[in-house]
Amino acid sequence: MIANWDVKYETNISEIDSQHKKLFRLINQIESIYLENKGHLVTKTKSLVDAVSELEDYTLSHFLIEERVMELNQYPDLEAHKKQHDRFTDKILELKNRLTSTQLLTNDEELNRFFSELIGFLRQWLTNHILLEDMNYKPYIKLVL
């Protein structure tokens, strides 16, 4: 089930909302590759690894910008928010390392299981993080980059 952007995710900070929309698109791209090739994912390992790498890179960039906006506006829970970002980054790195292990990349059953779990994790984390955590800083943001 592809995750769709909804107005409930809007922080009303155009740069942040634009980045969140791109994160949705990147997760949907991974899910599309997964759904279209389920059962024979080993033929799409390069596309899958590239898509996960792009998501990882973009997420790191997004977190830096989001944290900078919170810092500029003296958001009181900035450190706790950064820790959540760090935990997510660590988890993505762990998952990417697992993905690039040759054992996983050559086993369709394991790849299917991995991507099913990865997509569920990404979708849940992103939507919960935006709705529960990012909305907390929304009232504090007066200045943007």
Side-chain angles (χ1 to χ4, degrees):
M1 182 175 99
I2 301 291
N4 292 310
W5 178 261
D6 189 278
V7 295
K8 69 184 176 185
Y9 301 119
E10 290 181 2
T11 62
N12 297 324
I13 304 161
S14 62
E15 177 70 17
I16 301 296
D17 288 339
S18 173
Q19 292 176 6
H20 285 162
K21 287 175 187 175
K22 181 158 183 176
L23 289 170
F24 270 82
R25 284 193 303 274
L26 292 171
I27 292 169
N28 288 341
Q29 176 186 357
I30 293 168
E31 187 167 7
S32 291
I33 296 168
Y34 167 72
L35 292 173
E36 291 166 13
N37 299 283
K38 208 171 174 179
H40 56 281
L41 290 175
V42 293
T43 65
K44 293 295 181 181
T45 55
K46 182 176 179 352
S47 298
L48 290 164
V49 171
D50 289 349
V52 171
S53 293
E54 184 180 4
L55 175 67
E56 177 189 29
D57 293 345
Y58 193 79
T59 301
L60 291 171
S61 155
H62 164 67
F63 286 169
L64 289 172
I65 291 168
E66 190 176 76
E67 290 167 8
R68 182 70 182 119
V69 168
M70 288 186 280
E71 188 179 349
L72 260 171
N73 290 275
Q74 300 175 348
Y75 178 56
D77 290 328
L78 173 60
E79 288 309 312
H81 202 103
K82 277 184 177 181
K83 284 181 183 172
Q84 287 191 4
H85 286 171
D86 291 345
R87 282 194 297 275
F88 178 81
T89 302
D90 291 346
K91 179 71 173 176
I92 288 296
L93 184 59
E94 170 198 321
L95 290 167
K96 187 178 165 198
N97 287 338
R98 200 171 122 212
L99 172 61
T100 55
S101 76
T102 50
Q103 182 181 1
L104 182 61
L105 289 176
T106 58
N107 184 318
D108 257 327
E109 188 176 318
E110 290 295 318
L111 271 174
N112 278 310
R113 187 175 308 117
F114 175 86
F115 275 97
S116 176
E117 291 171 13
L118 174 66
I119 292 162
F121 165 73
L122 291 171
R123 188 184 306 129
Q124 180 181 18
W125 192 91
L126 181 61
T127 56
N128 285 342
H129 184 76
I130 293 172
L131 291 173
L132 301 175
E133 301 302 326
D134 289 352
M135 291 304 160
N136 288 338
Y137 67 65
K138 186 176 170 178
Y140 292 88
I141 307 304
K142 308 292 183 239
L143 303 169
V144 290
L145 300 176

